Amino acid sequence: MSNSRTLRLASGKLARFSDGSAIAQLGDTSVMVTAVSKTKPSTATFLPLTVDYRQKAAAAGRIPTNFLRRELGPTENEILTGRAIDRSIRPLFPDGYFYETQIVCNLLAVDGVNDPDVLSINAASAALAVSDIPWAGPVGAVRIGMVDGELIVNPSRREMTHSSLNLIVTGCDGNNVVMLEASANNLLQQDFLKAIKRGVKETQAIVRKIKELAKLCGKPKRLPIKLFAVEQELVEAAAELARSRIRDVLLDDSHSKISRDRALDGVRLDVVERLRLTYPDQDNFQLSEAFGATLKSVFRDLILDENRRCDGRELTDVRDISCSVNVYKPLHGSALFQRGQTQCLCTVTFDSLESAFKSDSVSVITGAFREKNFMVHYEFPPYATNETGKSGMVGRRELGHGALAEKALRAVIPDNFPFTIRLTSEVLESNGSSSMASACGGSLALMDAGVPIADHVAGIAIGLVTRPSKDNPHSIGDYKLLTDILGIEDYLGDMDFKMAGTKRGVTALQADVKVPGLPMRIVMEAVQQAVDGKSRIMAVMRECISEPRVEKKENAPVSIRLEVPPHRRSKFVGAGGYNLKKLTAETGVQLSPIDDTSFTVFAPNQSAMDEAQEAIAQLLSEEKEPVLDFGAIYTAKIVELKEVGVMVELYPNMQPALLHNSQLDQRKINHPSALGLDVGQEISVKYFGRDPVSGRMRLSRKVLQNPATKVVRNLGVSTLDASPAASKES
């Protein structure tokens, strides 16, 4: 690499029964990826590609801490990494390749310095390149960080803790972009574009080396039994029957999402029935695909040739926006964000810092957060698109959209905020870019809750419609970018470019493409168009709420810092934490230790805090203790014998203090009973102040004694049976 670090790629030694396998190594982190594709086509009408990325505890030198002590279901970090790998390789499979394909990523070793996610993309690219699976790769991937204004290629985990950018770039031959994934700390637009360019440049070296590896040990590409493509004659027949009718539906901007879908579905059913009369030997899939090809062609021609969109907007227009805050007063924060027919209800909930999400040790070593006190949970119920289905289950899509919205908002959350924040975005209506609507609604809800965020965060999705070049069908000729895309524009288009940020800079980006690579000029235009779009959205959001709420809501939680003197801590906590547990059960507050003398007290509301403070005052209340003079001699009463010494009480209203064996007598003793001491006995002690760390009293008895005699007492012989010799010696 350009930074003198070495990325090693190898193939041909492990997992040789797979269609292709490769190992990628950076530092001491190694990942093996295998690729297997069936030779018989599936019944699916899409590419059934599965990417399994699993974190192995053994690779990190750990044993799983669950009950079974083995890896269970995939974690959120594993799912998100698998999605990134999928989005990096899927666009380069041939059209109509509906063969079941599986990519399995196996972590061999993790050094805790280099993250394995980018390595897995490169290993997957190498595995597909050396296999006989039809694929138009290879691709290369790098991570770009920025520390003190300097770009770093594939930064270490330590460098990433100081980085203001976390950008993953996947590129293919010709300096084209296949996938982008980024989170940033309000990075300026020019710095962000500079990082993308640097990342694309770095990927080209990886692409060249994978090509060399494929030439060295790759297999000849297989010829699929069948690529599912519609016959041209069937497409022309469908176009003759449906083209004008589809055009009429798409140009009718009075349609809503549901009515447009129903109108197109009615045209499809009629055309398929009429085609079946002419082509009785064709199956329903071929007939439906012929209609789909016509729909896609008409949709693209309207945009490329006439600049016409389905809802009547210009190419750079943003849909109508409405938003409101404090929707439900009992909530800590709430907002309703509506953009066109995409509607999100966002709610904010505060809890104690103990409620922060804590990752397992293996996820931490492989790049996940150790602990995070800000979470975004994205929900997409079936009714949002007028469908039925199971509710409550969190799928890969929901996790991905929630993670993107969380990246967009995390940059503006203050580091020292005293609560854990859970932001829930429930999509009530969806017609495109619900993840960016979640970022906008989440920003409004955070301000409504009084979180001191620096500025609003707005997000927008940019679409793309392309036409192949006449000279080279594999390159892009004409193209148009679309601002704030609809669901149909996402489905029939070639890109979903989602970007979020503040007025100052970029906080998150996710680019998914369907064509085998985008030129940098299109990426740069998309970034600029997204910046213009989010500025317009942010202006509407500021009209709703321009700054975080200052006054607290009645039901807002409260958090204070409680100082407890070291010598009162044991009484305050109680045996086995009894007092703290009782306090939580009776008042609902949560107490978390900060250090030896401090606690954080979290209460769900002010009334609970007032009740808890009364109980805490009683626990810490004490009669005024007599002031002890340093070096003074006091008469102490023994209240308990211990192995290490005796517990003595100087005054009835004082806590007993330990008089250690070493301070009982001039001679060394192992137990207080050797001196004949017993409970209730009074002894003289000298006071030497309190220990500055623990707060315990420092007492001594031996400093008041004369020099030691030889023997105090013969514990091995009773006084009645002692021999004259022993008595004389005593």
Side-chain angles (χ1 to χ4, degrees), residues 202-221:
E202 294 290 338
T203 61
Q204 299 308 296
I206 301 174
V207 170
R208 288 193 295 270
K209 290 300 180 182
I210 294 178
K211 283 184 176 180
E212 293 178 11
L213 182 67
K215 288 181 181 179
L216 183 65
C217 57
K219 303 175 185 177
K221 296 298 181 181

Side-chain angles (χ1 to χ4, degrees), residues 12-47:
K13 185 176 181 180
L14 303 179
R16 288 173 289 187
F17 282 174
S18 61
D19 292 332
S21 69
I23 298 173
Q25 181 177 351
L26 183 64
D28 288 328
T29 296
S30 298
V31 181
M32 181 185 74
V33 176
T34 59
V36 176
S37 185
K38 290 188 175 180
T39 55
K40 294 182 179 180
S42 68
T43 57
T45 58
F46 58 90
L47 170 62

Side-chain angles (χ1 to χ4, degrees), residues 335 337 339 342-347 374 376-380 398 401-402 404-406 408-409 423-428 432-446 457-459 500 541:
F337 182 83
R339 179 167 56 201
T342 297
Q343 185 184 73
C344 286
L345 175 64
C346 296
T347 61
F374 173 65
V376 175
H377 293 159
Y378 171 94
E379 299 176 2
F380 194 92
E398 283 77 10
H401 282 51
L404 178 60
E406 183 176 310
L409 295 167
L423 193 154
T424 302
S425 174
E426 185 170 1
V427 181
L428 306 181
S433 190
S434 57
S435 60
M436 292 295 92
S438 299
C440 297
S443 178
L444 293 167
L446 288 169
V457 172
M541 294 169 62

Side-chain angles (χ1 to χ4, degrees), residues 566-567 596-597 690-696:
H567 66 284
D596 290 342
T597 61
R690 291 185 180 271
D691 187 279
V693 177
S694 64
R696 297 191 182 98

Side-chain angles (χ1 to χ4, degrees), residues 16 29 33 37 49 52 59 86 120 191 201 295 422 448 512 549 604 729:
R16 288 173 289 187
T29 296
V33 176
S37 185
L49 173 65
D52 288 330
D86 184 300
S120 298
D191 292 336
K201 181 180 178 181
L295 172 62
R422 183 192 184 216
D448 179 57
D512 301 331
R549 182 187 295 274
E729 184 177 358

